[in-house]
Amino acid sequence: MKIMLQRKSFVLWIFAFLCLYQPLTAQTETDEGALLEVENGVSFSQNSLFLLNLRFRMQNRFGFTTKAGNTIDVNQFEARVRRLRLRFDGYVLNPKFSYYIQLSFSKADQDLELGTVPQTIRDAMFYYHISQNFYVGLGQSKLPGNRQRVISSGNLQFTDRSLANAIYTLDRDFGFFAYYTLPFSDGPVFNIKGAITTGDGRNASPVNEGLAYTGRVEVLPFGEFINSGDYSEGDLEFETTPKLSLGLSMSVNKKASRTGGQLGRELYGFRDIHALIADMMFKYQGWMLSSEYLQRNVNNPFTQNAEGDIRYIITGWGWNTQLSRMISPKAELAFRYTAVNPNDKMEGYERHIEESTLGSTYYLNRHRIKIQGNITYRWYDTNTELSHENNRWGAMFQIEFGI
């Protein structure tokens, strides 16, 4: 298996090299044949019948956490390639028939830390564009859940998403997707998104007859953000007029088989999971404010096998708020506060956790190439004292590089 994966990776990188090898000659063609461009990744087109955009990106990081809040003794180092992605998108035969494929190659990106088989495929979607404002899709992609999860990990202003997202988010799933945009002449925009999916996450085998139903509504009262900035953190565009997006998502996962719905380890029994998400993003003249609330409910979150082992779904709510300011066209300072509050059903199993993070990012080429540094303080049970049990500091340095 390992040798096969290495061979597949080798073939993909050879293909990328061949694409990169031809731009200087291909761009000089004046006929209607093949054309290669490198403005947004590597784009190869053939007349109007075919388009392939190729991109890659990697996140290399080094960080640590302390043993306690009142010491700088290191408890654990994190030094690794957090993400390594290869992405293809474009259309075939007709621009109405588009596709999106994303592959992952790092250990953390393939769910290997859970002891499962490698999950190389992250996204594999076919889309049909019915009109300019309405399109549908079939395949594997992110559910229309909380905004920070749908935002690409390459467009984050911190080195990773929040703890609230990690515990309560919806994730990728396979099924049918639909997206509709309703613009008004006086500026406001409404986005309606929905999905009917298996509910079992990435590359899942058939489990049961249960499905997941997810819907989302977004309102942009002042019109669209520049360059789809409502799904990119930080106001790198320096919006000249105030821009605001408000979102609400609801999801029901019938007979869920994993501890996190689409994520986590397999449960010992099936459960119905209900999720409610509300979020917002505001940008103006280099400032950004974003916030989201995530709630998960399950009637009986605990499952047990014949040996008495227990696996459960974490129920309760999470909150995340971020405030940032571009202090120059390339430099940004950001602050984040996160809280995770398991409900009474989790007493004795999960604790109330809060985090504050200070981050700085230097954008060499916007989100494509950037240098990030974060300092985080985590505390438990609402007690901020440095000596409190399990309270600790963390720091992370990360370089993002891609095309």
Side-chain angles (χ1 to χ4, degrees):
M1 177 65 72
K2 182 176 182 181
I3 294 175
M4 291 178 63
L5 289 173
Q6 290 175 343
R7 287 178 177 174
K8 290 180 181 179
S9 301
F10 178 76
V11 171
L12 290 171
W13 285 111
I14 288 295
F15 177 76
F17 172 78
L18 291 175
C19 290
L20 289 167
Y21 180 74
Q22 299 186 33
L24 294 178
T25 58
Q27 281 193 343
T28 62
E29 295 291 334
T30 58
D31 60 14
E32 295 182 355
L35 178 65
L36 193 64
E37 298 179 348
V38 293
E39 182 177 356
N40 295 307
V42 179
S43 297
F44 178 80
S45 62
Q46 180 70 35
N47 297 323
S48 60
L49 299 177
F50 175 83
L51 174 65
L52 168 66
N53 295 316
L54 169 66
R55 293 181 181 177
F56 80 87
R57 64 184 177 91
M58 61 182 176
Q59 292 178 346
N60 293 349
R61 62 171 54 172
F62 180 86
F64 68 89
T65 56
T66 63
K67 293 181 178 180
N70 57 359
T71 179
I72 59 173
D73 293 340
V74 174
N75 177 60
Q76 186 180 61
F77 285 108
E78 181 179 355
R80 58 175 172 168
V81 180
R82 175 60 181 87
R83 294 177 176 91
L84 179 61
R85 305 274 180 86
L86 190 60
R87 191 184 104 175
F88 307 87
D89 65 84
Y91 59 82
V92 178
L93 299 179
N94 189 309
K96 287 188 175 182
F97 305 125
S98 66
Y99 63 90
Y100 181 88
I101 300 170
Q102 186 172 209
L103 308 177
S104 58
F105 299 95
S106 68
K107 179 179 179 180
D109 248 3
Q110 297 188 55
D111 292 347
L112 292 175
E113 294 176 333
L114 295 176
T116 61
V117 297
Q119 301 287 342
T120 304
I121 303 172
R122 296 195 74 81
D123 300 278
M125 286 294 302
F126 165 78
Y127 295 107
Y128 175 63
H129 297 258
I130 299 173
S131 68
Q132 183 178 357
N133 296 325
F134 182 36
Y135 64 100
V136 295
L138 172 65
Q140 180 174 289
S141 185
K142 293 178 181 177
L143 291 172
N146 61 302
R147 188 182 306 269
Q148 189 173 79
R149 183 65 189 94
V150 180
I151 290 176
S152 168
S153 57
N155 288 344
L156 302 176
Q157 60 187 176
F158 293 92
T159 56
D160 229 326
R161 298 182 177 91
S162 73
L163 181 65
N165 174 91
I167 294 177
Y168 292 117
T169 189
L170 306 178
D171 200 71
R172 286 177 168 87
D173 213 354
F174 186 95
F176 295 92
F177 296 77
Y179 307 85
Y180 181 70
T181 299
L182 180 63
F184 289 88
S185 58
D186 57 349
V189 175
F190 289 83
N191 294 320
I192 302 172
K193 308 175 183 181
I196 300 176
T197 57
T198 66
D200 301 310
R202 289 199 286 154
N203 311 311
S205 300
V207 178
N208 56 48
E209 76 279 16
L211 295 174
Y213 307 88
T214 306
R216 179 172 172 84
V217 177
E218 295 173 352
V219 181
L220 287 70
F222 309 130
E224 294 183 340
F225 290 60
I226 299 174
N227 293 333
S228 302
D230 50 331
Y231 277 91
S232 179
E233 292 187 349
D235 186 14
L236 279 68
E237 307 295 345
F238 287 84
E239 296 279 0
T240 56
T241 60
K243 294 296 174 62
L244 174 67
S245 177
L246 304 172
L248 179 67
S249 296
M250 298 183 68
S251 179
V252 178
N253 191 342
K254 306 292 287 186
K255 293 190 174 182
S257 61
R258 304 175 70 178
T259 57
Q262 293 79 24
L263 296 167
R265 305 179 69 185
E266 291 187 1
L267 295 166
Y268 297 126
F270 303 133
R271 295 290 185 269
D272 292 349
I273 302 176
H274 298 260
L276 173 67
I277 297 166
D279 58 57
M280 60 81 66
M281 178 173 283
F282 174 82
K283 291 185 179 183
Y284 181 53
Q285 293 186 347
W287 287 92
M288 187 209 77
L289 174 65
S290 65
S291 189
E292 56 187 28
Y293 170 84
L294 305 93
Q295 179 179 298
R296 180 191 290 156
N297 290 306
V298 180
N299 286 335
N300 177 15
F302 296 93
T303 65
Q304 187 173 352
N305 65 8
E307 288 73 33
D309 300 320
I310 293 176
R311 288 182 184 172
Y312 57 88
I313 300 167
I314 300 177
T315 57
W317 59 264
W319 182 275
N320 182 64
T321 298
Q322 296 177 194
L323 177 66
S324 66
R325 167 68 172 167
M326 296 294 295
I327 57 177
S328 78
K330 290 184 177 294
E332 176 190 63
L333 290 177
F335 174 78
R336 174 162 76 190
Y337 167 76
T338 304
V340 173
N341 187 44
N343 59 23
D344 294 341
K345 297 177 182 178
M346 297 289 102
E347 186 175 356
Y349 291 89
E350 297 290 334
R351 300 169 64 183
H352 181 93
I353 308 174
E354 294 172 84
E355 281 188 346
S356 288
T357 302
L358 182 64
S360 178
T361 302
Y362 188 77
Y363 299 95
L364 294 165
N365 183 22
R366 306 180 66 77
H367 279 292
R368 303 282 179 83
I369 304 176
K370 59 190 176 185
I371 301 172
Q372 297 177 290
N374 294 172
I375 298 176
T376 299
Y377 181 63
R378 174 182 293 189
W379 64 97
Y380 289 77
D381 307 323
T382 70
N383 191 328
T384 60
E385 293 183 5
L386 298 178
S387 59
H388 184 64
E389 180 187 11
N390 296 129
N391 289 5
R392 62 178 183 266
W393 293 91
M396 187 69 69
F397 173 79
Q398 178 170 281
I399 295 177
E400 171 115 11
F401 186 89
I403 61 173

